[in-house]
Amino acid sequence: MPELTTNVRYVKGIGEQRAKSLEKLEIRTLKDLISYFPRAYDDRRTFKKIRDLEEGENACVEAMVAAPPTLNRIRAGLELVKLRAVDETGTLDITFFNQTYRKDSFQAGETYTFFGKAEAAGRRRAMANPIVEQEGGRLVTGRIMPIYPLTAGISQLMLVKAMEQGLAACRTLLPDPLPDEVRQEHGLCRIGYAYEQIHFPDSEEELAIARRRLVFEELFLLAIGLRRLRGRRDQLTCAPWENTDLTGFYGQLPFDLTGAQRRAIEDIRADLTAGRPMNRLVQGDVGSGKTMVAAAAMVCAAANGKQAALMAPTEILAEQHYKGLAPLLEKLGIRTALLTGAVKAKERRSILAALESGEVQAVIGTHALISADVAYRDLGLVVTDEQHRFGVGQRGALAAKGERPHLLVMSATPIPRTLALMIYGDLDVSVIDELPPGRQNIDTFAVPGSYRQRIYRFIEKQIAEGRQAYMICSMVEENDQIPDDRKAAAEYAKMLQEKVFPHLHVACVHGRMKPKEKEKVMAAFAAGETHILVSTTVVEVGVDVPNAAVMVVEDADRFGLSQLHQLRGRVGRGSHKSYCILISDNRSEEARARLKVMTQTGDGFKIAEEDLRLRGPGDFFGRRQHGLPALKIADLTCDMALLKEAQGAAMELLERDPELISCPATAGRVEEMFSSGVEAMN
Ligand code: ADP
Ligand code: MG
């Protein structure tokens, strides 16, 4: 008797060779096979008489082959098999291109079902390369056909046949991860039926029923898994902090905070006084003013006699935060220090001593903050900026230097709400969805490389008007390796300096430079001494040079949309009209569609949503950065309503039965789903 774990070779027609090909699709067992869902469907249910076929219509025709097929060799590489089929209403001329075997696969006088796109020529009808089946057959005609993603050595027909056998063998053996009462309460069909109909739907309605159930199941399991991760955290307690009067802090600011900033700060204050360690994500578009939100939290820490640490992913960012925050915090009597790899040994020793004694209450730095020899007297708040750049381990290592400190994560990658709900199921989320007043649109253009001369002239003009420009040359991280960006950036800068802008100052900054050098280059750019800064993505985040008004990105198609959005956020930070020019010679439809999104909107959330739609959640953050189990069927951009319903059901179940004792099949599936890559979320 076959079981779910039986090897796919059990299926007739699947031998060693094909089993190997199927492995590329991660199909090894019968269970894998029937869990391989179609990516689309082809509705082949319409039957027509020949006379009624309309031009361009897809339909099945039952017709008799009137005479043996003929083979015509038009030229090398083009062979036509032609045949004439008839029914009582008319004649259908059928042509197969380069399918020579068709010549011998028809019997004159026999009736077949042909499915294809009809062409009309006067009273006659024609079809090219139709799908063919013996009369009365219902394998590939007369039904809604599943379309599977394929790999070399595997055809649709082969998969369809295998799927039928697989379903017949073990459809009834599938354990249902949805508890019966959940299934009934939410009007969801049984799992066996869902599997059958998702592959071979009897109708659109039945397909919708199957799909709804499977999507629900997936989201339900995801929600349970995430909730359990979070549950572990919720059991932690800590002494609640006193609420802090922030009037003095607000009074120091040269501007009024936006409503969104204030809301985020209120969320944080509520967390800090709740008696549980905070675990909050503050998400806001580039330039939305997250730093001040972090600063408010740091003020709260100091007021409660606790230390706060803010960790940034790059030296440049850490220094910039320090320069922005230290004067503000110091004015409020909070001793603030900067700790990066660039700090000299002697100074470092004194900072470490001051951290250990508690004399320094706020420290801003890079991962230098988590070096083994850094000790804090009482670290109560850990802020990480641009969190997706940190490994989870790094965040954890900083937190481990305190005793259950409050955690605040700031992300400039706008995440569609649906996805945020899922990925950060274990974090609370505050969204800063409002930019400070007076920001202007950045005019964005996507152009081919042939525009380069024009772009250079445009840059010159802008510089003549007193502005500065960034030029980014792309270096995409591949296979978790940081590429050697030094050469690309340096050579590009040299070329620009010598050949294009001999009378201007071109500088270059890249990831392999010593921090001191980097700082010098950045400082010169910030001071307006250099006109053009060539850089790699290494400096994409956070840098603030209000006079820069042009951002040029080479090979723009190689960046994620959210990354491009980050890069674009480097300009338009002052009062000057700003421009972003995306250069790409990639003519593929996808690349063009993606760049077009950039030219059409400046809304980071919309861009993220588009990115998600075009690339799928798996690629959204790049493989390393999200810890989301791969979703087979649920589409997080579309299934929002169902997501909420599934989440509600998951919470109810966990309330009733937190350990899932009553439903081992649910527990088992959650375990399976979360067995890989999920630590990444905590
Ligand atoms: P991000 O969210 O990208 O980290 P920043 O915190 O760097 O944004 O803020 C971007 C710029 O906006 C900074 O120059 C900051 O001083 C300024 N800023 C922040 N909040 C406000 C506000 N409420 N009104 C005006 N300017 C603000
Ligand atoms: Mg920032």
Side-chain angles (χ1 to χ4, degrees):
M1 278 303 281
E3 293 172 31
L4 289 168
T5 52
T6 302
N7 193 284
V8 272
R9 288 177 60 184
Y10 164 86
V11 170
K12 257 197 299 183
I14 306 277
E16 196 175 337
Q17 210 50 43
R18 287 179 180 168
K20 252 202 199 123
S21 301
L22 284 175
E23 231 182 287
K24 288 198 207 102
L25 304 175
E26 306 204 341
I27 298 173
R28 292 177 191 89
T29 64
L30 292 182
K31 169 86 191 300
D32 297 338
L33 175 68
I34 64 176
S35 305
Y36 193 69
F37 297 150
R39 66 171 168 79
Y41 300 87
D42 190 8
D43 189 346
R44 302 180 184 168
R45 287 174 302 169
T46 310
F47 279 82
K48 282 277 176 95
K49 292 292 174 200
I50 293 176
R51 186 183 51 204
D52 301 332
L53 282 173
E54 280 169 37
E55 174 90 45
E57 172 186 35
N58 284 307
C60 294
V61 174
E62 281 179 324
M64 189 179 74
V65 172
T70 59
L71 174 66
N72 303 315
R73 292 212 162 78
I74 306 293
R75 55 178 157 79
L78 181 58
E79 292 184 337
L80 307 184
V81 172
K82 293 187 169 237
L83 66 85
R84 202 151 51 81
V86 296
D87 67 9
E88 67 276 21
T89 67
T91 301
L92 184 65
D93 291 320
I94 291 170
T95 310
F96 294 101
F97 293 85
N98 293 335
Q99 300 181 26
T100 312
Y101 68 94
R102 296 280 192 187
K103 181 176 182 305
D104 302 316
S105 54
F106 294 95
Q107 287 284 321
E110 290 273 342
T111 298
Y112 301 83
T113 307
F114 299 94
F115 171 81
K117 184 182 274 189
E119 296 154 36
R123 297 190 50 211
R124 288 169 79 121
R125 301 286 183 267
M127 268 185 196
N129 292 338
I131 304 238
V132 186
E133 190 157 26
Q134 293 285 344
E135 180 182 24
R138 286 290 180 268
L139 187 60
V140 293
T141 62
R143 58 148 66 159
I144 301 177
M145 283 299 296
I147 313 277
Y148 296 101
L150 296 176
T151 185
I154 300 293
S155 71
Q156 288 295 346
L157 187 58
M158 205 185 286
L159 263 181
V160 165
K161 284 183 176 160
M163 212 55 89
E164 292 206 315
Q165 293 180 61
L167 283 170
C170 54
R171 190 189 54 207
T172 55
L173 306 177
L174 288 165
D176 197 335
L178 287 181
D180 257 346
E181 65 274 12
V182 170
R183 204 170 51 68
Q184 281 156 10
E185 187 179 332
H186 295 274
L188 302 163
C189 67
R190 286 186 190 281
I191 188 165
Y193 177 83
Y195 269 67
E196 184 182 81
Q197 293 293 325
I198 201 77
H199 289 290
F200 301 111
D202 288 325
S203 68
E204 274 148 57
E205 293 73 31
E206 280 155 296
L207 174 59
I209 289 170
R211 186 171 181 282
R212 178 166 183 276
R213 184 230 132 91
L214 292 170
V215 171
F216 186 100
E217 171 187 322
E218 195 161 55
L219 297 173
F220 175 80
L221 296 171
L222 194 57
I224 289 197
L226 290 167
R227 181 71 213 192
R228 294 182 92 192
L229 289 176
R230 184 195 172 122
R232 275 175 231 150
R233 170 169 76 77
D234 279 352
Q235 286 160 11
L236 302 176
T237 57
C238 65
W241 287 10
E242 294 292 326
N243 205 355
T244 307
D245 180 6
L246 290 173
T247 327
F249 168 69
Y250 293 144
Q252 292 294 336
L253 300 179
F255 41 68
D256 288 332
L257 292 180
T258 63
Q261 282 172 314
R262 283 176 187 271
R263 281 193 294 279
I265 292 171
E266 285 318 307
D267 289 345
I268 290 166
R269 289 218 280 185
D271 289 345
L272 297 178
T273 52
R276 275 190 284 115
M278 169 170 75
N279 210 19
R280 181 168 294 276
L281 172 77
V282 171
Q283 206 193 310
D285 211 342
V286 207
S288 62
K290 294 182 291 294
T291 318
M292 284 307 151
V293 173
M298 294 171 91
V299 172
C300 293
N304 278 275
K306 303 277 183 180
Q307 288 171 303
L310 190 166
M311 183 162 69
T314 64
E315 307 250 344
I316 294 176
L317 262 175
E319 280 156 24
Q320 196 174 294
H321 279 321
Y322 179 75
K323 284 187 190 129
L325 293 183
L328 182 64
L329 296 175
E330 295 274 355
K331 259 190 229 151
L332 297 167
I334 301 168
R335 274 285 314 276
T336 307
L338 173 69
L339 186 60
T340 68
V343 171
K344 290 255 163 35
K346 189 162 155 245
E347 199 188 338
R348 186 165 190 279
R349 269 197 303 277
S350 88
I351 294 173
L352 294 198
L355 280 172
E356 196 157 7
S357 70
E359 195 185 324
V360 160
Q361 294 147 294
V363 64
I364 295 169
T366 54
H367 51 265
L369 294 174
I370 55 177
S371 310
D373 57 347
V374 181
Y376 299 81
R377 192 179 65 87
D378 190 359
L379 182 62
L381 171 71
V382 165
V383 185
T384 49
D385 191 10
E386 318 293 352
Q387 64 91 25
H388 62 285
R389 304 209 124 211
F390 286 111
V392 177
Q394 286 172 308
R395 230 194 294 160
L398 183 52
K401 294 200 176 271
E403 211 171 302
R404 288 182 201 157
H406 294 291
L407 298 184
L408 185 62
V409 176
M410 297 193 289
S411 169
T413 310
I415 302 163
R417 276 168 187 281
T418 37
L419 198 57
L421 260 174
M422 281 288 149
I423 297 184
Y424 297 112
D426 74 320
L427 293 183
D428 299 308
V429 182
S430 300
V431 178
I432 307 189
D433 51 5
E434 185 182 348
L435 292 181
R439 294 284 155 81
Q440 37 178 323
N441 273 347
I442 298 162
D443 283 355
T444 303
F445 307 93
V447 299
S450 58
Y451 276 56
R452 230 172 243 112
Q453 292 308 321
R454 275 205 240 176
I455 295 167
Y456 293 154
R457 283 199 300 277
F458 178 71
I459 291 175
E460 256 188 84
K461 206 170 126 241
Q462 284 287 315
I463 290 171
E465 286 173 22
R467 302 288 80 74
Q468 289 164 281
Y470 291 100
M471 298 191 77
I472 306 296
C473 59
S474 113
M475 269 286 134
V476 177
E477 290 185 28
E478 271 167 33
N479 305 329
D480 291 7
Q481 284 193 347
I482 312 250
D484 187 0
D485 55 9
R486 179 175 27 187
K487 228 173 114 195
E491 272 172 14
Y492 188 60
K494 187 159 172 266
M495 185 281 289
L496 287 174
Q497 178 70 83
E498 289 173 0
K499 304 238 162 73
V500 187
F501 303 113
H503 50 294
L504 298 176
H505 285 292
V506 180
C508 169
V509 61
H510 55 71
R512 305 288 169 94
M513 279 165 92
K514 295 223 177 66
K516 270 275 171 260
E517 277 175 75
K518 227 187 306 186
E519 190 191 20
K520 242 171 76 186
V521 177
M522 286 309 299
F525 187 67
E529 289 157 20
T530 30
H531 304 110
I532 298 171
L533 184 66
V534 174
S535 127
T536 59
T537 56
V538 178
V539 292
E540 94 206 30
V541 278
V543 191
D544 203 5
V545 181
N547 191 47
V550 185
M551 165 64 65
V552 177
V553 184
E554 292 275 359
D555 292 320
D557 56 285
R558 291 166 66 182
F559 294 89
L561 288 189
S562 295
Q563 216 177 358
L564 287 176
H565 182 64
Q566 294 284 322
L567 286 169
R568 178 166 62 183
R570 298 306 104 219
V571 296
R573 296 174 88 83
S575 53
H576 312 292
K577 176 78 203 150
S578 297
Y579 306 87
C580 174
I581 301 165
L582 306 172
I583 304 179
S584 165
D585 283 321
N586 186 334
R587 308 298 291 157
S588 82
E589 213 167 289
E590 197 211 323
R592 285 160 66 175
R594 293 179 60 231
L595 294 184
K596 192 159 165 220
V597 172
M598 293 299 298
T599 65
Q600 288 172 334
T601 180
D603 180 333
F605 282 91
K606 252 193 217 142
I607 288 170
E609 212 136 305
E610 262 320 283
D611 213 10
L612 181 64
R613 197 177 63 76
L614 292 167
R615 291 198 296 169
D619 285 338
F620 189 68
F621 291 107
R623 238 163 301 144
R624 270 183 316 156
Q625 286 154 348
H626 79 95
L628 199 63
L631 294 182
K632 275 175 127 50
I633 185 162
D635 175 347
L636 289 171
T637 53
C638 306
D639 290 319
M640 186 65 185
L642 205 52
L643 170 67
K644 285 206 172 123
E645 195 179 333
Q647 273 206 322
M651 296 315 124
E652 249 173 56
L653 174 62
L654 284 176
E655 201 126 295
R656 264 199 325 269
D657 181 6
E659 296 307 318
L660 304 177
I661 291 160
S662 65
C663 41
T666 312
R669 271 298 289 144
V670 170
E671 190 94 343
E672 242 175 77
M673 222 170 150
F674 278 75
S675 60
S676 61
V678 158
E679 326 75 87
M681 279 182 303
N682 282 267

